[in-house]
Amino acid sequence: MGQSDPVLEDEVKYRYYTIIQLYRRATLQDNAQRVSPVSFELEAALKLARYLCRQELAKEVSDLLMGAADGAKALIDASDRLILYIEIARLFGTLGYKRKAAFFSRQVAQLYLQQDNAYAAMSAMQVLTMTTNAYHVQSRKTSKINHDSSKEPRASSSDSGKVHPQAIVSLFESQWSTLQMVVLREILMSSIRAADPLSSWSAAARLLRSFYPLITPAGQSGLASSLANSADKLPTGTRCADPCLPFIRLHSFPLHPSQRDIVKRNPGKKEWWTGAGPSGPFIYTPFSKAGASSGTSKQEVSWIVGEPVQVMVELANPCSFDLVIESIYLSVHSGNFDAFPVSVSLPPNTSKLVLLSGIPTQVGPISIPGCIVHCFGVITEHLFKEVDCLLLGAAQGLVLSDPFRCCGSSKFKSVNFPSISVVPPLPLLVANVVGGDGSILLYEGEIRDVLITLTNAGTVPVEEANIALSGKNQDSVISIAHSTWKSALPIKPGGEVTFAVTLRAWHLSSADLEADGSRSPASSRRIAREGINPFLNIHYAGPANPENGDISLPPGRRLVVPLNICVVQGMRLVRARLLSMEIPARFTEAHLRPVSGKDDISTGNDTERTNINLLKIDPYKGSWGLCLLELELFNPTDVVFDVDVAVHSDDTNVDQRVISEGSAGDAACHKTRIDRDYSARVLIPLENFKLPVLDASFFVKESSSDEPLGSRAAAIAERNAKAELNASINNLISKIKVKWHSGRNSSGELNIKDAIQAALQASIMDILLPDPLTFSFKLAKNRIATNADSSKDSGNPSTHSSDGNVGPSTDNVLRCDDPISAHAMTHMEVQIRNNTKEIIQMNLSISCKDVAGDNCFDENSATVLWAGVLSDIHLEVPPLQEVVHPFSVYFLVPGDYSLQASSVIIDATDVLRARAKAESPDEPILCRGSPFHIRVVGTA
């Protein structure tokens, strides 16, 4: 009753010790007694130990039991020794001396095994099973029973990888390895003799799994045979609580296809996807931050009812025999998941990654503690947590070996197990690029429509959707047919919609071209570079109001459609430069020359073959000058390109004249065909790009040089002038378009902006700034020549100082629509426009030349008579206005003639001198217009 009398206890101890001493003396005096007093001595010792069996007297009780154990050698009858060992083991167990109790229990088992019958073997097996807890080789079934009865907290099966060091020591203690192997081997032998195949299979599995590094290859094969033999005696589908091989650890949750990303919906925003990243179905990725999860925070992941999911595990076979796993699948205890089994074969000392899949069936949480394995004829459950403990113990030197490192696998890295929940079904869009999901092969600058089909593969309709761009080179997506797919909403299950995305290939950099050239010709132009393509981000969702009336919105989804664009080298702009062309009566290619070496911009290697077919220029025109932009194009591909160079006008959408070298035909033809490995040259006149007004602001830097340094007004004026000039440059460049066509469906535009800007940089002021005066001729009697509007830079004559180097005009020859009759007085007018904001006074002169360039107004050999003043005509032209000077001519000889007006500006301002680049303030400024062509018919 828990009460003790010290006086009585001392009296009992004295009496028992006295009796024990008397029996011991009798034994020593007569060893040949018929009845040995040893049994009485041992019985007295056991009774005293049983009487004193309390924790505070453990030392005294232990001495009595160990003395009794020594006396067991004198017992002749095995049954007496059996009873003695049983009692000793029981009393040691009562004191809490587990290992001593286990030792004497093993002695009991050895006495049972000495008997050749199944019942004794069964008793030995039961006794040895009781010792497994002390030797830490107990069955998982026993551990589970002890765990259920214990009140100590332990991690659950869904613990996020939390490892308890005490669990490592209790499950795997290498200091006892030899003794533990002996105990398991004894259990295996006793269970075989007891004809208990399940117990023998469990013992062999524990022995092989825990101590494979200490077992020879022959011993491992023997244990495998024992497992197979035991399984043959068991019914099909037998389960065992103790796993054998392989070792299984959770490797990762593979990245789910981007077509199934789940996004939480924000009910407070119209764009419900903003501010919410993808939440699954699989949230563990190799990009997650190390140590992001703590013991209190667990990642959350959502799976969808009816949609398959995958988990990657790693299997290891560290033994010397082939391991055949009949089936392996995820272990789910919640009952709302259907797992799909797979079979795996593992060669000796190898590891393998295996994807295990399944389908969630009901809404609710899911717990996946491990895997169910059917191997060696028995079904067992392998827990991820146990292997994590084993691997951590191996890393700390607490267990024998790491089975995965033995098989050549990577270093152990713990994977946090997320909190998984199953949500109701969601819509599922699947994207398909019409024509194939491979790379979209585009030449540089090519524009093409790509059709994308979206199919709803889910069981819920798509009620709302939004398409946005992400990734690099987003400007390569010109347009998306939003109206097409929006009109198809809602997309019912099984429905689909096809919409167009217009793409334009970007320009390859020099680094891309070098990398492309380093590859073989067969592969360099067919491989798309990773990380440079744009993506279509499609956020979509199903019905907003669930049937059960829950106010929380079901999640939406994100579909990422990569636009795998493979840009290959197409038409190349080899060179862009400025040319100054003077056209005499007879034109040759030698009259083309670069303006300066700075304007020669080369963008590639020189071509081997150049296809040149010069424009046929009318030889019957006066000598004049022209500033041209030359573009040299090269075709390095295997196809033929038709190039169309157009210069767009601001007023009319009609292309201006472009001189093509490389195409046969008249001057109005803009198309040029370039074969493979051939080049072509295109000449673009620049006279129609001048500004309408010559403003002093363009020369503010020169004119304000006398102002104090840091003048705010000068700085503002200079900044405004530069801004206007840059805008004019960009406007000029944007008007020049080089478009190409190849085959039926391939077309695009060449990127020439940078090359043209570099070519025009040195002479941009001469190209853009208008001349102070422009001249145009017309017939006075309602017969208007085909000249440009004088208010919009018609003629564009050049402005020069009056030295001997008077430059040519930069305009084309102006022509009269209809021929003029000879021997008839023709009334004409010359219009002079002032393109500045100041009054200009000048002396006007008009000349006429024939095809030979001779002066037709020469008094000695005149072929043209005139009426009116044609030289030294003093005129004053108001700012931005025109004046008209009439005159009449009388042609004596039929033929082609050219009229040309020129003037000397009187008292030129600083702006005019800056435009003419005059070297001295006294130098007169000369302006000359373009020749006006007249065809005279009749008889001489």
Side-chain angles (χ1 to χ4, degrees):
M1 297 180 65
Q3 298 178 357
S4 61
D5 185 354
V7 178
L8 177 61
E9 185 175 289
D10 291 341
E11 181 67 20
V12 172
K13 289 168 57 177
Y14 173 76
R15 297 292 181 100
Y16 267 106
Y17 279 123
T18 301
I19 294 172
I20 291 173
Q21 292 295 327
L22 292 175
Y23 281 128
R24 188 171 298 171
R25 291 173 187 169
T27 304
L28 295 175
Q29 293 175 0
D30 188 3
N31 292 331
Q33 299 181 69
R34 186 172 183 179
V35 178
S36 175
V38 174
S39 58
F40 299 105
E41 177 188 349
L42 296 178
E43 183 178 358
L46 291 177
K47 286 184 177 181
L48 179 59
R50 200 179 300 122
Y51 175 75
L52 300 175
C53 189
R54 296 193 304 274
Q55 191 65 37
E56 57 270 17
L57 301 176
K59 177 65 171 61
E60 188 173 357
V61 175
S62 177
D63 292 340
L64 288 171
L65 294 178
M66 293 304 296
D70 291 339
K73 301 175 182 179
L75 296 177
I76 301 175
D77 192 350
S79 298
D80 294 340
R81 291 197 302 273
L82 180 64
I83 296 173
L84 176 64
Y85 288 145
I86 290 176
E87 187 64 16
I88 293 175
R90 189 187 68 81
L91 291 176
F92 271 126
T94 304
L95 289 175
Y97 289 6
K98 302 296 182 181
R99 296 184 180 180
K100 288 186 176 181
F103 173 79
F104 288 104
S105 297
R106 288 181 56 219
Q107 300 300 318
V108 173
Q110 292 294 332
L111 293 175
Y112 278 126
L113 288 176
Q114 292 177 4
Q115 306 177 32
D116 190 12
N117 60 80
Y119 293 104
M122 188 176 299
S123 299
M125 181 187 68
Q126 293 175 351
V127 172
L128 289 172
T129 301
M130 291 187 295
T131 66
T132 55
N133 286 333
Y135 293 111
H136 298 165
V137 290
Q138 69 273 22
S139 172
R140 184 190 289 174
K141 182 178 181 180
T142 306
S143 301
K144 185 176 181 181
I145 295 175
N146 295 337
H147 168 72
D148 294 339
S149 60
S150 175
K151 295 184 180 180
E152 296 179 1
R154 293 183 60 184
S156 64
S157 59
S158 61
D159 198 342
S160 59
K162 216 176 179 182
V163 179
H164 303 279
Q166 186 61 35
I168 303 173
V169 178
S170 64
L171 291 175
F172 310 97
E173 193 160 359
S174 57
Q175 294 87 342
W176 284 23
S177 56
T178 303
L179 185 57
Q180 290 170 326
M181 292 175 61
V182 171
V183 173
L184 289 175
R185 189 178 294 111
E186 291 174 349
I187 295 175
L188 175 60
M189 294 174 58
S190 61
S191 59
I192 292 175
R193 292 177 58 181
D196 188 345
L198 185 58
S199 297
S200 62
W201 196 98
S202 174
R206 282 178 282 165
L207 183 60
L208 184 60
R209 182 178 179 87
S210 302
F211 304 101
Y212 68 90
L214 303 179
I215 303 175
T216 61
Q220 294 176 359
S221 301
L223 288 175
S225 300
S226 177
L227 289 168
N229 294 334
S230 300
D232 292 339
K233 302 174 183 178
L234 292 172
T236 303
T238 300
R239 293 178 175 265
C240 181
D242 301 308
C244 185
L245 297 178
F247 290 91
I248 305 174
R249 69 175 175 183
L250 180 63
H251 183 272
S252 65
F253 287 93
L255 287 174
H256 200 280
S258 57
Q259 293 181 335
R260 297 187 180 182
D261 282 346
I262 300 177
V263 180
K264 293 183 179 180
R265 300 174 70 177
N266 189 343
K269 293 183 179 180
K270 181 179 180 181
E271 298 179 349
W272 48 263
W273 57 89
T274 56
S279 61
F282 301 102
I283 63 172
Y284 172 78
T285 69
F287 308 104
S288 59
K289 294 182 180 179
S293 64
S294 61
T296 58
S297 62
K298 186 179 294 186
Q299 294 175 324
E300 296 181 358
V301 62
S302 297
W303 288 351
I304 300 94
V305 172
E307 294 188 13
V309 294
Q310 291 180 325
V311 176
M312 182 174 287
V313 298
E314 186 175 7
L315 313 181
N317 174 23
C319 296
S320 59
F321 53 83
D322 292 330
L323 181 62
V324 178
I325 303 172
E326 300 176 17
S327 67
I328 177 174
Y329 54 91
L330 295 175
S331 174
V332 180
H333 298 166
S334 54
N336 57 347
F337 186 85
D338 289 341
F340 302 149
V342 296
S343 59
V344 183
S345 296
L346 288 175
N349 300 311
T350 57
S351 63
K352 181 181 294 186
L353 294 177
V354 178
L355 277 174
L356 301 180
S357 58
I359 295 181
T361 57
Q362 295 178 359
V363 177
I366 284 184
S367 173
I368 305 179
C371 298
I372 302 297
V373 176
H374 187 192
C375 186
F376 294 112
V378 174
I379 299 174
T380 56
E381 183 180 21
H382 294 241
L383 301 179
F384 296 139
K385 186 193 69 174
E386 289 185 356
V387 176
D388 290 345
C389 294
L390 170 63
L391 299 180
L392 183 57
Q396 298 177 355
L398 299 177
V399 296
L400 297 174
S401 178
D402 184 342
F404 294 93
R405 295 293 295 274
C406 295
C407 298
S409 182
S410 60
K411 188 177 180 181
F412 166 69
K413 183 179 180 181
S414 179
V415 177
N416 295 333
F417 205 97
S419 176
I420 304 174
S421 61
V422 180
V423 299
L426 298 177
L428 176 61
L429 286 180
V430 179
N432 178 42
V433 179
V434 178
D437 294 331
S439 297
I440 304 169
L441 187 64
L442 299 178
Y443 291 106
E444 292 179 277
E446 181 176 355
I447 299 175
R448 185 186 301 176
D449 287 341
V450 176
L451 298 179
I452 297 178
T453 300
L454 299 179
T455 304
N456 186 3
T459 59
V460 177
V462 178
E463 297 285 344
E464 55 179 308
N466 178 78
I467 299 180
L469 287 174
S470 65
K472 295 185 177 180
N473 291 312
Q474 297 184 23
D475 53 352
S476 62
V477 181
I478 300 177
S479 63
I480 302 174
H482 292 281
S483 59
T484 303
W485 62 264
K486 285 183 178 180
S487 61
L489 295 176
I491 305 176
K492 297 182 179 180
E496 66 178 27
V497 59
T498 302
F499 62 96
V501 176
T502 304
L503 303 178
R504 177 173 56 197
W506 54 84
H507 181 67
L508 294 177
S509 63
S510 57
D512 296 332
L513 294 176
E514 292 177 0
D516 183 71
S518 63
R519 305 188 186 101
S520 62
S523 61
S524 62
R525 299 179 181 178
R526 297 294 184 268
I527 300 176
R529 292 180 58 194
E530 296 181 357
I532 64 172
N533 292 315
F535 297 86
L536 294 182
N537 280 346
I538 305 176
H539 293 87
Y540 62 97
N545 298 322
E547 296 180 357
N548 56 6
D550 191 359
I551 59 174
S552 62
L553 291 175
R557 301 193 105 154
R558 183 185 68 167
L559 168 63
V560 179
V561 182
L563 300 175
N564 298 320
I565 304 175
C566 178
V567 180
V568 298
Q569 184 180 0
M571 180 66 60
R572 290 176 54 194
L573 176 61
V574 178
R575 181 172 54 187
R577 62 175 180 173
L578 281 178
L579 295 179
S580 175
M581 183 172 70
E582 293 187 4
I583 303 181
R586 297 296 177 182
F587 173 77
T588 63
E589 187 185 358
H591 294 91
L592 291 175
R593 67 176 184 271
V595 173
S596 64
K598 296 180 180 179
D599 301 326
D600 188 355
I601 306 299
S602 178
T603 60
N605 298 326
D606 293 337
T607 58
E608 298 179 357
R609 296 179 291 178
T610 304
N611 186 16
I612 299 179
N613 185 6
L614 293 179
L615 173 69
K616 296 179 180 179
I617 299 179
D618 191 349
Y620 300 103
K621 60 180 65 177
S623 176
W624 51 279
L626 190 64
C627 187
L628 302 173
L629 174 64
E630 181 195 51
L631 303 179
E632 185 173 349
L633 308 176
F634 175 59
N635 179 11
T637 67
D638 298 332
V639 298
V640 178
F641 286 96
D642 289 328
V643 180
D644 185 3
V645 182
V647 181
H648 297 280
S649 174
D650 291 335
D651 298 338
T652 63
N653 292 324
V654 180
D655 297 341
Q656 300 178 12
R657 179 186 299 267
V658 176
I659 305 175
S660 296
E661 301 183 16
S663 63
D666 60 325
C669 180
H670 300 167
K671 289 188 179 296
T672 301
R673 171 162 291 189
I674 308 178
D675 295 331
R676 56 174 299 185
D677 295 332
Y678 269 79
S679 65
R681 297 165 61 194
V682 177
L683 303 179
I684 304 174
L686 298 178
E687 70 276 3
N688 293 307
F689 293 106
K690 292 187 180 296
L691 298 174
V693 179
L694 180 61
D695 195 352
S697 61
F698 293 108
F699 307 97
V700 65
K701 189 173 183 180
E702 289 80 1
S703 61
S704 62
S705 59
D706 297 335
E707 296 184 8
L709 185 63
S711 173
R712 182 176 181 182
I716 294 176
E718 183 178 357
R719 184 167 58 251
N720 294 338
K722 288 183 178 180
E724 185 176 354
L725 183 62
N726 291 333
S728 301
I729 295 174
N730 295 331
N731 183 43
L732 186 154
I733 297 174
S734 63
K735 292 178 180 179
I736 303 175
K737 304 293 183 182
V738 179
K739 299 180 180 180
W740 54 264
H741 301 270
S742 179
R744 295 182 178 180
N745 301 320
S746 183
S747 64
E749 184 176 333
L750 193 63
N751 187 355
I752 60 174
K753 178 180 178 181
D754 296 338
I756 293 181
Q757 189 168 9
L760 302 180
Q761 193 67 34
S763 305
I764 193 63
M765 294 294 291
D766 294 332
I767 297 172
L768 290 178
L769 294 184
D771 295 303
L773 298 174
T774 54
F775 306 87
S776 62
F777 292 89
K778 70 176 181 178
L779 300 179
K781 293 183 178 181
N782 300 325
R783 299 183 65 185
I784 299 183
T786 58
N787 57 317
D789 189 353
S790 60
S791 65
K792 296 185 179 178
D793 194 19
S794 64
N796 298 329
S798 297
T799 305
H800 301 274
S801 59
S802 61
D803 56 7
N805 298 323
V806 178
S809 170
T810 58
D811 193 11
N812 289 319
V813 173
L814 305 179
R815 298 173 180 268
C816 183
D817 287 339
D818 300 325
I820 298 176
S821 299
H823 303 288
M825 185 63 71
T826 303
H827 303 285
M828 302 192 69
E829 294 179 351
V830 59
Q831 295 178 340
I832 305 97
R833 175 176 174 79
N834 183 359
N835 295 321
T836 69
K837 296 181 179 180
E838 301 174 355
I839 299 176
I840 295 180
Q841 296 181 359
M842 64 178 178
N843 290 328
L844 174 68
S845 298
I846 302 173
S847 63
C848 180
K849 295 182 180 181
D850 56 15
V851 295
D854 297 332
N855 185 9
C856 300
F857 291 155
D858 189 1
E859 296 181 357
N860 297 325
S861 58
T863 57
V864 180
L865 304 180
W866 71 94
V869 183
L870 297 181
S871 62
D872 295 332
I873 308 166
H874 183 76
L875 296 175
E876 184 178 286
V877 187
L880 301 178
Q881 294 186 17
E882 297 177 353
V883 295
V884 177
H885 175 70
F887 66 95
S888 301
V889 290
Y890 186 93
F891 295 96
L892 300 176
V893 179
D896 290 333
Y897 296 88
S898 296
L899 294 176
Q900 190 172 30
S902 61
S903 63
V904 176
I905 300 177
I906 302 173
D907 296 332
T909 62
D910 294 339
V911 174
L912 298 180
R913 294 186 180 281
R915 177 66 181 91
K917 299 180 181 179
E919 297 180 356
S920 65
D922 299 332
E923 187 176 8
I925 306 301
L926 172 66
C927 291
R928 185 173 62 181
S930 299
F932 178 74
H933 181 72
I934 299 177
R935 180 176 293 274
V936 180
V937 297
T939 58

